[in-house]
Every structure is written in C-alpha cells, then in structure tokens.
Amino acid sequence: MTRTKLLFAMLASASALALAGCGGEGPPPSDEVVIHRGNNAEPLSLDPHKASGTWENNIIGDMFVGLFTEDPDAHPVPGMAESWEVSDDSLTWTFHLRESYWSDGEPVTAGDFVYAWRRIANPETGAQYVSLLYPIVGMAAVSRGEAPPEAIGVIAVDDRTLEIHLENPAPYLPGLLTHYTTFPLPQHIVEQFGDEWVRPENIEVNGPYKLIDWRTNNFVHLSRNSYFFDDANSCIDEVYYYPTVDNSAAGRRVRNGELDLNMEFPGQQMEFLRREIPDYVRVHPYMGTVYFSINTTLEQFSDPSVRNALGMAIDREFIANEILRAGQLPAYSLVPPGIDNYVSGVEASWADIPVEQRRATARELLTEAGYGPDNPFRFEYTYRATADNPRVAPVVQNDWSAIAEWVQPELIVNDTQIHYDNLRASDFEIADGGWIADYNDPYNFLFLGEFRSVPMNYSRYNNPEYDALVEQANREQDLGVRAGLLAQAEQMLIDDMPIIPLVYYVNKNLVNPRVTGWVDNLTDIHRTRYLCFADIDRSETATE
C-alpha cells in the first residue's frame, strides 16, 4: 500500500467509527480508498426493473452500464456501444458492442440486452417504469399482455451486434439509453436465482462497482469491479450509500467529516451553510419539476374546473422565495425551461393574475361545482416525509383553506417509498411528487400524461386528443414541427390540470471540497467512477 493510501485509510477508519456512533452499525475499517455518500432514501429495490427513484439510480448506475452512459457532466457518451449506425428513416439503430465482461468473467453479449428488455416488457415482471421504453417497437403491446416478449423490436444479430427498431424517430435515444431500464442483465444469473439475483451473494454486474452488502436503513456497500472495461481509470475502491432521510442531520455529518457528500440539504439552511462551509455548498439548475398529482378517477376531481381552482389558489412565488429559498422558480407548466428540442410559452392561463384574485375565481369555480357551507370540499393531501416537503405541505394547506372556510384539506405524511407505491396504485386523492428528467427532451415529461403510461401517469389522466397529439409529434422528423406539436399537447395538459405544477427544481448538494471530479449538472447524476480525493494520486489507485 502507498503512503497516500495509508493516510486515507486512517481517515476512512475514523469516519467509519463516527458513522457507527450516529445510529446503526457502521462499515468496517478499510485500507482502500472509500467514499461515503448520503443518498436521501432507502432503496426499495436494486433490480433495474423494479427501481423507480433517483436514490436507486445513484446506486444502480454505479453497478451497471448500458449502451450509453453519462460523462461527469451527465451528457450521454458511449458505454457498452463501441459504434452504431442509424437507418435513413431513423427507425433502426444498429449497435456494435465493445468487448466486456460480467464481474464473474462471463462475456456481456447482445443477448443479455435482448433478455433484459424482454424481461422488463413482460407484465409478469411488474416493471413500473416500462412505459419509458414505449418508443421501441412492440414494447407497449407486450407490457399490456397483448403480445409475447419476443415481439419487441430488439434483435441480437450476433454476440456483439444489437439491433433496435423504433415505433417513431427518437432524437433523444442516446440519452434514454443511459437509463437503468435499458441496462443489460446477466441472463445466466437471473435465470439461476430469479428475483433473488440482486442479493449481494448472487449478483454479477458489468459496471464499475459490485454490491457487497446491503443493511436495510443503514447502508449499501459497493466495491470495485476489476472486470469493468474502464476499471483502470477509477479512483474509488469502495463506496457506501446511506439513506439520509433527515437532511439536516446529514448536513451535520458532512460538516463533521462523517459523510463525504449528501445529495440534498434544506433550502432554509442555505445562508447558514454558505456562511459556515461555503466550499461545500453546490446549487445548480435541475431538469425537473415538483408537481401535485390529482386522482382524476375520483368523482370529486373529475371536473377540470375544480382541479384548476386548486391550482390557481397556490402562491408559488411565496413557496419558492420564502419557504424553499434555494433558487427554485415558480412553475406554471410541467416541462422546465431550457429543455432541448422545445419552445417556450406554455403556462396556465391564469399564471399572471394576482393570487388573491385567483383565489376569488377559485371560490366561484368550486361554488359552481356544488361546494359551499352546506357541502364542504374535503380532501386528503399526501406528501413525502423527506427534504423540504414537510415545510411546503402546511403552506399549501393554508393556500387551499384561504379559498373559503368550507375548503378543508387534510394533511397525510408518508415515507417516500410508500408514497410512490400509493401513487402508482392510484391510492391517493392529491399527492406531491417530482419528476427528474431521464433524458433531455420534452417527451420525457409529456409521456407522464399519456394514458398508456399508467402507472407512471399517477393522475390517470385520460385524454385521447392529448395522446394523439403526442403520438403525432413523436412521428414528426422535423424537430421544429415536433416541438410545436408537443407544446400544443402540454398546453392541453395544463388547461385540464390533472397535475398542478409547483416549482422547478434546483439540485442542492453538500460536497466536501476534498472530493474531486464532481461536476454540477442538469440531471444531478454523479457516478462514483469519476470521483476521487484531492489527497489521492489517481495514478496510484489503479488495480494493483
């Protein structure tokens, strides 16, 4: 071991002892280069076909690599794909795979991609996120049980050649192919162990890190995979992920050196943190939107006027500037500003009207819908227990109550995993949530309104005219025309208001300045393989 590594091992051991004192059993001391990452929530699953949260993506993306992967800026770059060709009609993409191996030494083949995509399409898998792959021929029909898994348009021409057939041109495909739903799976392992294949003792991966240990509500431990095709350029040997639901406590752990970084901090602490640890605070625009879903399958929310009344009563400027206070912008549309291949101008028709006037209009709309002193408008608003959501919830409750005394929202708080399970199961009335783009294109937001995207379409919005507009846009090869059609569709969605946009995200991270290789970016994806420490010589960390 080098002297530099020995010094870092001493620091890592001290950190491990401190973490053990914070509740739960801490990781054992290590003589390797170790990073400790705060990660917001406990994973529900590390199976790429069962996961759905950004906190799961952070871990899964360290273990697997798809045809494309992210660079430090989170831009798509070749991963398993060494080269590719696209047909003249943009409907067929042919990929040539690099030579690569699973962590047990078995080769990664085109067949592993075909196997994985047939598995996620199969309704028996229960993949919540399969709708993201509907641009692939047959994926929608197979996921609905209308065709066998073999009907999807993905073909292994040979072990190193993969052919993908699309329903419509997809200029965003490289970005989509960085997403964990598109990763290959080790067919020989999944078939042997079934749903238990992701257990630490069973799993094999093709990415830079392999799962070693998972202690529920304590930590997830990954260790370097020497079979990874770019292992020689990785610095970190081991990474620990911690479910830091309490971000105030996590911030203290970062300041104390127990965590090297945390993927969130409370917005109201911005001034304090910038004063106390200015070099740690990282705030950057985020390609995402906080919005509320309204369960349109319920009779009381079937009327767009009622849904608009609720939307127009919220004082977004107050929430952004006085509650969140970290640079968030009020949102009056679902698609955030600055997204590629899009146009500006979509927003709620009442966006520029003062909030008090909007609340008066909301009162009229609810009265016309039959609500009043003799028929109070009662409903449940469910919110996540993490980040700034508990601070936003009572403010929104007050905004709705300000419409009239007979508007009576009840607050209900849930753990994040349970919350999103309820959203997908349509077990809610109104619920908060957020969407972070999987790739930089407006369709990644607007597919949430397509009825075929249920259960990711939490509100169960069902508008055939909207669906037809989105489909027409996605078949259009002229990007300008396509952008205009998608904007028409979004305006229709906002006018109907099955979702209530609240604010556009910013990403807020605390990163010890000793950590190098961290690049602020729009999707807030920071793969461990690019990170290191200022006191570590990267040339000394290659596999020895």
Side-chain angles (χ1 to χ4, degrees):
M1 186 189 303
T2 65
R3 291 181 65 186
T4 305
K5 272 196 171 184
L6 180 60
L7 171 62
F8 188 77
M10 294 171 63
L11 293 171
S13 297
S15 176
L17 291 172
L19 284 163
C22 289
E25 181 183 352
S30 173
D31 61 357
E32 304 291 348
V33 180
V34 183
I35 193 167
H36 299 277
R37 301 184 55 153
N39 195 39
N40 293 348
E42 175 69 15
L44 187 63
S45 175
L46 295 179
D47 184 330
H49 297 168
K50 305 294 179 67
S52 62
T54 55
W55 55 95
E56 293 161 331
N57 179 20
N58 292 333
I59 303 172
I60 293 170
D62 268 355
M63 297 196 296
F64 296 90
V65 171
L67 291 168
F68 286 79
T69 188
E70 303 91 352
D71 68 6
D73 292 293
H75 296 142
V77 293
M80 292 298 296
E82 199 165 50
S83 62
W84 59 94
E85 300 96 36
V86 184
S87 63
D88 290 341
D89 62 4
S90 299
L91 296 180
T92 301
W93 293 57
T94 304
F95 293 92
H96 305 282
L97 307 185
R98 69 171 70 245
E99 183 178 358
S100 184
Y101 300 89
W102 296 105
S103 48
D104 60 358
E106 289 292 315
V108 181
T109 69
D112 289 318
F113 281 92
V114 174
Y115 173 78
W117 293 2
R118 287 178 178 176
R119 179 179 184 261
I120 195 172
N122 192 331
E124 293 181 3
T125 302
Q128 304 282 359
Y129 223 157
V130 65
S131 55
L132 195 68
L133 305 183
Y134 282 176
I136 297 172
V137 165
M139 191 66 74
V142 173
S143 71
R144 294 192 295 263
E146 298 169 358
E150 294 76 19
I152 68 170
V154 183
I155 300 168
V157 178
D158 56 44
D159 281 352
R160 299 273 295 277
T161 309
L162 182 71
E163 199 171 84
I164 300 177
H165 297 270
L166 302 178
E167 295 278 5
N168 46 257
Y172 50 83
L173 189 64
L176 173 58
L177 293 176
T178 68
H179 194 262
Y180 54 81
T181 53
T182 72
F183 291 168
L185 296 186
Q187 180 175 356
H188 64 294
I189 297 298
V190 181
E191 289 186 338
Q192 180 180 356
F193 296 106
D195 287 342
E196 300 296 305
W197 78 274
V198 290
R199 293 180 63 88
E201 63 268 25
N202 299 333
I203 194 170
E204 303 296 345
V205 302
N206 75 323
Y209 297 94
K210 182 178 178 181
L211 179 65
I212 301 300
D213 195 6
W214 180 1
R215 304 188 186 184
T216 304
N217 292 317
N218 197 348
F219 61 76
V220 174
H221 174 204
L222 310 183
S223 186
R224 191 165 173 156
N225 170 26
S226 62
Y227 280 97
F228 176 54
F229 63 79
D230 198 32
D231 178 57
N233 291 316
S234 296
C235 169
I236 302 297
D237 295 313
E238 298 182 41
V239 52
Y240 288 85
Y241 282 93
Y242 302 88
T244 50
V245 175
D246 184 342
N247 283 303
S248 294
R252 290 191 293 273
R253 292 166 68 179
V254 174
R255 298 198 301 276
N256 294 337
E258 302 164 21
L259 294 176
D260 296 301
L261 61 95
N262 193 58
M263 300 289 288
E264 182 65 77
F265 64 81
Q268 75 272 21
Q269 295 183 9
M270 174 86 80
E271 293 181 10
F272 167 78
L273 292 169
R274 282 185 162 161
R275 184 174 62 252
E276 296 294 318
I277 49 171
D279 294 340
Y280 286 66
V281 178
R282 312 294 289 261
V283 179
H284 190 268
Y286 203 8
M287 200 160 52
T289 305
V290 179
Y291 68 95
F292 303 156
S293 296
I294 304 175
N295 191 338
T296 63
T297 67
L298 302 176
E299 178 62 28
Q300 68 186 122
F301 301 122
S302 62
D303 184 348
S305 295
V306 170
R307 303 194 296 259
N308 268 274
L310 294 171
M312 64 179 61
I314 299 172
D315 189 343
R316 293 159 178 79
E317 284 72 15
F318 178 82
I319 291 172
N321 299 330
E322 303 299 329
I323 303 300
L324 301 177
R325 299 169 57 187
Q328 293 90 341
L329 296 174
Y332 293 93
S333 63
L334 179 61
V335 180
I339 200 120
D340 287 349
N341 307 317
Y342 205 42
V343 297
S344 59
V346 176
E347 65 177 11
S349 60
W350 37 259
D352 295 329
I353 299 173
V355 67
E356 289 302 326
Q357 186 177 338
R358 296 203 312 251
R359 287 176 185 158
T361 302
R363 188 179 307 113
E364 294 173 4
L365 291 174
L366 292 177
T367 301
E368 290 171 5
Y371 295 104
D374 297 329
N375 183 28
F377 185 35
R378 299 189 179 99
F379 58 90
E380 295 176 350
Y381 169 64
T382 310
Y383 64 94
R384 296 160 290 168
T386 53
D388 291 314
N389 305 305
R391 300 177 59 247
V392 170
V395 177
V396 174
Q397 181 186 39
N398 287 336
D399 285 346
W400 284 330
S401 299
I403 297 173
E405 65 279 0
W406 39 264
V407 177
Q408 300 170 4
E410 177 186 356
L411 297 185
I412 298 176
V413 62
N414 269 328
D415 290 337
T416 299
Q417 300 95 323
I418 296 172
H419 183 79
Y420 279 109
D421 276 349
N422 290 343
L423 282 169
R424 288 187 289 268
S426 195
D427 185 14
F428 71 98
E429 295 185 1
I430 300 178
D432 81 345
W435 187 257
I436 310 302
D438 302 300
Y439 51 87
N440 193 346
D441 188 88
Y443 179 61
N444 190 224
F445 288 87
L446 298 183
F447 94 102
L448 296 170
E450 291 182 283
F451 191 64
R452 67 175 186 168
S453 293
V454 170
M456 302 309 291
N457 174 353
Y458 304 138
S459 69
R460 271 47 178 186
Y461 179 59
N462 186 2
N463 185 337
E465 188 178 352
Y466 173 87
D467 292 349
L469 261 177
V470 173
E471 182 178 359
Q472 180 185 352
N474 281 338
R475 294 187 181 280
E476 177 59 58
Q477 294 207 52
D478 184 309
L479 290 181
V481 175
R482 176 179 181 268
L485 291 169
L486 288 175
Q488 289 181 47
E490 187 187 9
Q491 189 64 63
M492 186 180 300
L493 181 75
I494 295 302
D495 290 344
D496 282 351
M497 197 136 294
I499 56 96
I500 300 176
L502 186 68
V503 295
Y504 302 119
Y505 274 114
V506 292
N507 56 58
K508 311 190 300 295
N509 299 297
L510 292 179
V511 183
N512 190 309
R514 289 183 54 248
V515 176
T516 60
W518 180 282
V519 179
D520 296 321
N521 61 67
L522 282 172
T523 55
D524 204 24
I525 290 176
H526 308 274
R527 300 305 183 199
T528 301
R529 61 185 282 210
Y530 299 121
L531 304 180
C532 198
F533 293 95
D535 49 353
I536 295 290
D537 184 349
R538 290 191 73 124
S539 65
E540 296 178 347
T541 63
T543 304
E544 298 174 351

